[in-house]
Amino acid sequence: METSSIILLLVSASISFAAGRVIVHFRNAKRKRQALERQVQEKRDRPAEPEAKNKAKRKRQLHAISRTKKR
């Protein structure tokens, strides 16, 4: 093989490898973002806990609910 064909082969292989890694990186980032959105949605859609009988715990629950509603 000539030197120019070897260089062309190396360049094309490195470009192909880099393009593959970029595609995999963006695909993984998208999957991670979707998983996070799913977790947030599940947490938001979760049914409310029953009201506690303990007065202090009930106050904490009401305070936590009011904090989440402000956001």
Side-chain angles (χ1 to χ4, degrees):
M1 284 181 112
E2 294 181 28
T3 306
S4 61
S5 61
I6 293 173
I7 292 173
L8 182 64
L9 178 66
L10 289 175
V11 168
S12 65
S14 61
I15 290 172
S16 174
F17 178 76
R21 293 305 305 161
V22 167
I23 291 170
V24 168
H25 170 74
F26 284 119
R27 185 175 51 197
N28 288 342
K30 182 180 176 184
R31 285 181 182 167
K32 191 175 185 179
R33 187 173 51 249
Q34 287 174 340
L36 182 61
E37 290 172 358
R38 244 189 335 271
Q39 286 177 348
V40 169
Q41 185 68 31
E42 288 172 0
K43 190 174 182 181
R44 201 176 309 137
D45 293 344
R46 188 174 51 198
E49 295 179 14
E51 194 172 275
K53 298 198 185 293
N54 184 319
K55 187 177 179 181
K57 187 174 181 182
R58 190 169 53 240
K59 281 174 91 174
R60 284 195 306 270
Q61 285 177 338
L62 291 173
H63 184 61
I65 290 170
S66 66
R67 268 189 288 149
T68 56
K69 287 183 180 178
K70 287 181 183 178
R71 293 182 183 180

